[in-house]
Amino acid sequence: MSQPVAIDIRHSTCPHDCPSACALDVEVIDGSTIGRLRGSKRQTYTAGVVCAKVARYAERIHHPDRLTYPMRRIGPKGSGQFARVSWDEALDEIAARFDAAEAAFGAESVWPYYYAGTMGLVMRDGINRLANVKKYSRFYSTICANIAWSGYAAGVGKVAGVDPREMARSDLIVIWGTNPVSTQVNVMTHAARARKERGAKIAAVDIYDNETMQQADIRIILRPGTDGAFACGVMHVLFRDGLADRAYMARYTDCPDALEAHLATRTPAWASAICGVAEAEIEAFAHAVGETRRSFFRLGYGFTRSRNGAAQMHAALCIPAVTGAWQYEGGGAFFNNGAIFGFDKSLIEGLDRLDPATRVLDQSKIGRILTGDAEALRGGAPIKAMLIQNTNPMTVAPEQELVRTGFGRDDLFVAVHEQFMTETALMADIVLPATMFLEHDDLYYGGGHQHISVGSRLVEPPGECRSNHEVLQGVARRLGVDHPAFAMTPREVIDSTLKSSGHGGIAQLEAELWRDLQPDFRASHFLDGFAHADGKFHFRADWGNVNVPRKLKFGPWEAMPSLPDHWAVTEQADPQHPFRLATSPARSFLNTTFNETPSSQAREGEPSVLIHPDDADQIGIEDGEVVVLGNSRGETMLTARLSDGLRRGVVIAESVFPNRAHRGGRGINVLTSAESVAPHGGAAFHDNKVWIKKAGAPLAKRD
């Protein structure tokens, strides 16, 4: 007689690169196997809902292709030829190669490189401790949020806003620059509740008819990079038609009269010519937000993918300040809550050993850096050795042709700590097997909400997998460096960090599961003043002094418009490149996480590009036909899918597929630029001009 299966429900937090940081109820089967993951109903933002890809996490954590032991490359780079070695052999070689690079070229020739494959503070950011203690080249994070953070803080004064759960108490939820059905499912949880309980309307503002747009009552489809023009046209109508709250602006904003005068020429006709939205739609949207006090603007990361994204974010953010929506429950704006948590990461990152003179290298410019670009290297030594954790630059970084060339250098030593044999791991000299989040302890916060939590180790990792923290301990020991955190367990680091941050200790937080740190209503709605020194919301942005953690100046920040406007610095189509390409997120992938799981692969199918039927007809392309997209940076092959849910002259490739999934082995990021975006850097992934041509015989059409 078979024994009954023991299923224990444990709790954790999703660690992946998503603002939702969903609270999870996890099935642990017989103490060793992961079953179903569900959103916890005990945490009020997650509210029992989690995305489908995380719900099926068992197929990822128990995937037969997981890396489970260290390996050394024995064939050409990228060949996939590796031999098994011991952990001691692997770590000894990493330390020896780092020491050799430092001896020959200086400490800055070593570059620890990482990103957000996990958002846990210990496992994501601990690699900075190694860089700071050793004075290796430091890492400047630019591939995701800088642009939008800067635009939001320019208006509000910091990156925080209305409690996102207040969407459920709104009468109009404006979802702008994000596709939460695919990328932040909990946004839709609270918006749908408002619709059901209050009869609220949902408005979506984006660049194509995505899955969120299809659930919206009001649908605004823009040309890429024209949000600022649309916002200005809307605000023109608000002032013109008496829908601006002048009393609110007089008390809470810096220069309403100057803004009104500036917008006098930014008419709906002017805006329509730029953004492609009909004048009547601009007028109707303006009246919807102007006549609905409880209008909640949920602003997203789409702003952070364009060369003018910071200015566009600021322009969109100005609308609820003009209407005075901030003063009402269910009104105002939210993008991210990064400023409310106040974590002291000194121990995690070794900030006590940081030398400001050590150069900082731009994450997005890895291709230029590895191919010896003097400007990207900031005039310093070449990069000769790397340790890579939590990221897959061979697929996700811009300017992929340069990235591929750089990683192919025979004189570059690369160690990659990974869960699967990614395209970056294939280029490594040493590959180390990594744990997943349910196999180690870490500390989390939700940028898209207000909770902090400890994610505890629930099961043992397979084979010889080790956590990021353990790898850093092993490398540091062999390099002979000393820092207290290298001698501590992750739980000890978490406990100390919580205490130094004023959040109590680890035991208390574990007992609470998820702690709510949302400021009270008055603070969240800035009823006692916004976060600028003058207490005002700033219509006039001071781009040289934006209150964000990342202070380095990049791009033409001095030329940015101070008042909301259309800033025409995007990569415009031209006769040789008649299309604008955006690489929007795919629903079943998260960057390149989950593109190894069968269910995600089945849903996403093959790499494809959405093209307007009239554009396709003009260049003789049929649905299902293989096409080539190209520009001066490279070429890639995709399957054409015809859609009238985007503006003519715009094409959308939902990504990121592995390079190898594309015919010819060149992925979508061969087309994207690493050009610095003002004011604090970033990569303009949705801002590319391309040409399109036929590649071969048509494929079978989808149903």
Side-chain angles (χ1 to χ4, degrees):
M1 185 173 179
S2 60
Q3 295 294 318
V5 175
I7 299 179
D8 186 21
I9 303 301
R10 304 285 300 279
H11 307 290
S12 190
T13 297
C14 180
H16 290 291
D17 189 8
C18 168
S20 292
C22 288
L24 302 175
D25 293 338
V26 182
E27 291 182 350
V28 180
I29 303 170
D30 288 336
S32 61
T33 303
I34 297 301
R36 183 81 177 178
L37 274 65
R38 295 177 174 84
S40 177
K41 295 180 180 179
R42 297 173 64 178
Q43 197 246 60
T44 53
Y45 181 76
T46 299
V49 178
V50 71
C51 71
K53 52 186 173 285
V54 171
R56 299 188 298 266
Y57 210 83
E59 70 175 343
R60 187 167 195 275
I61 196 169
H62 300 304
H63 198 295
D65 293 339
R66 276 194 69 177
L67 299 174
T68 56
Y69 52 80
M71 293 179 285
R72 176 188 290 119
R73 179 173 61 85
I74 57 174
K77 288 194 174 186
S79 67
Q81 299 176 46
F82 292 92
R84 184 171 185 169
V85 295
S86 70
W87 268 102
D88 283 338
E89 289 174 297
L91 295 175
D92 287 348
E93 183 166 346
I94 293 170
R97 296 295 292 269
F98 280 18
D99 279 341
E102 180 176 359
F105 297 95
E108 290 183 345
S109 67
V110 181
W111 191 22
Y113 190 95
Y114 71 104
Y115 200 54
T118 176
M119 295 290 280
L121 299 187
V122 175
M123 301 302 169
R124 183 189 65 193
D125 299 328
I127 195 170
N128 290 325
R129 186 188 330 122
L130 181 66
N132 289 333
V133 170
K134 284 293 296 177
K135 295 182 171 47
Y136 292 153
S137 286
R138 290 189 284 145
F139 179 88
Y140 188 60
S141 170
T142 57
I143 211 165
C144 184
N146 287 22
I147 304 167
W149 278 57
S150 300
Y152 190 93
V156 169
K158 65 180 181 180
V159 179
V162 174
D163 186 335
R165 294 167 296 194
E166 283 190 36
M167 282 184 285
R169 297 187 289 279
S170 179
D171 294 321
L172 173 63
I173 301 98
V174 178
I175 299 172
W176 192 334
T178 181
N179 178 14
V181 169
S182 293
T183 62
Q184 296 186 59
V185 65
N186 307 100
V187 170
M188 300 306 296
T189 299
H190 299 285
R193 180 182 168 191
R195 173 187 273 166
K196 180 180 179 180
E197 296 179 359
R198 302 179 58 83
K201 301 294 185 183
I202 298 174
V205 184
D206 215 315
I207 59 174
Y208 73 115
D209 188 18
N210 54 42
E211 291 172 293
T212 301
M213 190 78 66
Q214 292 160 18
Q215 294 192 23
D217 304 289
I218 301 170
R219 305 178 184 185
I220 303 294
I221 298 178
L222 307 169
R223 295 186 180 117
T226 64
D227 306 68
F230 176 74
C232 287
V234 168
M235 289 186 286
H236 173 97
V237 175
L238 294 173
F239 278 106
R240 185 199 69 196
D241 292 356
L243 299 171
D245 190 330
R246 296 183 183 279
Y248 177 85
M249 287 189 289
R251 179 176 178 183
Y252 286 104
T253 71
D254 61 340
C255 58
D257 293 341
L259 176 65
E260 184 175 10
H262 167 72
L263 293 172
T265 59
R266 272 61 174 177
T267 64
W270 168 87
S272 178
I274 296 169
C275 69
V277 180
E279 292 179 52
E281 291 183 74
I282 296 172
E283 298 267 1
F285 181 89
H287 276 263
V289 298
E291 295 168 3
T292 309
R293 288 183 171 183
R294 295 174 182 247
S295 293
F296 191 109
F297 281 67
R298 183 57 172 88
L299 306 173
Y301 285 80
F303 292 99
T304 205
R305 310 285 187 256
S306 178
R307 286 170 175 80
N308 61 3
Q312 292 186 114
M313 167 65 89
H314 177 249
L317 180 65
C318 287
I319 296 174
V322 171
T323 66
W326 286 96
Q327 61 196 304
Y328 306 111
E329 184 183 35
F334 181 82
F335 163 60
N336 184 288
N337 248 340
I340 75 170
F341 300 105
F343 283 117
D344 174 8
K345 295 199 291 184
S346 299
L347 183 66
I348 292 172
E349 297 195 30
L351 298 179
D352 57 319
R353 303 286 287 278
L354 186 154
D355 182 353
T358 304
R359 72 174 173 185
V360 181
L361 297 181
D362 185 343
Q363 168 194 23
S364 297
K365 290 186 168 62
I366 184 172
R368 301 184 191 188
I369 288 165
L370 295 185
T371 53
D373 182 287
E375 181 180 0
L377 286 164
R378 305 190 69 174
I383 296 302
K384 292 290 185 176
M386 301 180 72
L387 170 62
I388 298 176
Q389 293 182 329
N390 312 330
T391 189
N392 183 15
M394 274 290 295
T395 306
V396 302
E399 299 181 346
Q400 276 286 302
E401 293 292 4
L402 291 178
V403 176
R404 184 186 297 258
T405 299
F407 273 107
R409 285 170 36 204
D410 289 332
D411 66 331
L412 174 68
F413 172 79
V414 176
V416 173
H417 187 206
E418 253 298 355
Q419 297 161 347
F420 293 92
M421 186 60 76
T422 64
E423 290 170 317
T424 303
L426 281 171
M427 300 299 288
D429 300 281
I430 295 289
V431 176
L432 306 172
T435 52
M436 293 188 185
F437 77 105
L438 298 172
E439 300 162 350
H440 58 239
D441 300 302
D442 215 337
L443 175 62
Y444 302 99
Y445 68 92
H449 52 84
Q450 54 280 100
H451 295 88
I452 63 173
S453 61
V454 174
S456 300
R457 177 172 175 156
L458 303 186
V459 293
E460 293 297 313
E464 300 178 33
C465 293
R466 294 187 184 180
S467 72
N468 292 0
H469 183 74
E470 291 174 291
V471 168
L472 295 170
Q473 286 179 311
V475 172
R477 185 165 57 250
R478 287 163 173 81
L479 292 171
V481 297
D482 182 34
H483 188 275
F486 288 130
M488 300 167 70
T489 68
R491 292 184 61 83
E492 290 170 336
V493 173
I494 293 167
D495 188 61
S496 180
T497 297
L498 287 169
K499 289 175 178 175
S500 66
S501 304
H503 294 316
I506 188 171
Q508 181 181 349
L509 183 54
E510 283 185 311
E512 296 176 41
L513 296 180
W514 303 283
R515 182 181 301 162
D516 186 344
L517 297 183
Q518 182 67 42
D520 65 21
F521 181 87
R522 292 193 65 84
S524 299
H525 287 256
F526 300 101
L527 298 184
D528 295 316
F530 285 86
H532 291 290
D534 61 2
K536 306 288 187 179
F537 179 94
H538 281 196
F539 291 132
R540 192 183 301 279
D542 181 2
W543 297 113
N545 295 286
V546 179
N547 181 27
V548 292
R550 307 171 180 93
K551 293 292 188 181
L552 298 182
K553 300 292 196 305
F554 283 90
W557 64 271
E558 293 174 306
M560 296 179 70
S562 57
L563 290 171
D565 214 340
H566 172 63
W567 189 33
V569 294
T570 54
E571 189 169 274
Q572 292 298 307
D574 57 39
Q576 291 74 41
H577 309 85
F579 295 94
R580 293 287 309 283
L581 166 70
T583 56
S584 302
R587 183 171 185 174
S588 296
F589 299 154
L590 206 174
N591 301 319
T592 60
T593 303
F594 297 100
N595 65 20
E596 71 286 324
T597 56
S599 60
S600 292
Q601 291 172 342
R603 187 190 188 282
E604 296 302 332
E606 62 188 349
S608 61
V609 59
L610 300 177
I611 305 174
H612 194 283
D614 292 343
D615 287 331
D617 183 64
Q618 188 172 4
I619 57 180
I621 291 172
E622 297 182 1
D623 188 66
E625 191 167 11
V626 181
V627 296
V628 182
L629 273 64
N631 57 25
S632 62
R633 294 180 282 271
E635 300 178 8
T636 185
M637 299 176 71
L638 306 98
T639 300
R641 301 296 179 194
L642 304 192
S643 170
D644 59 5
L646 66 171
R647 298 293 171 188
R648 288 202 62 183
V650 177
V651 292
I652 306 289
E654 292 184 330
S655 299
V656 180
F657 286 83
N659 295 318
R660 62 180 176 269
H662 293 252
R663 294 168 175 84
R666 295 297 196 269
I668 198 68
N669 281 319
V670 301
L671 304 174
T672 57
S673 173
E675 177 184 338
S676 294
V677 176
H680 298 116
F685 285 100
H686 296 179
D687 190 352
N688 311 283
K689 61 182 181 182
V690 297
W691 48 257
I692 305 175
K693 65 182 181 182
K694 290 187 175 186
L699 302 176
K701 294 183 179 181
R702 289 180 178 172
D703 294 333

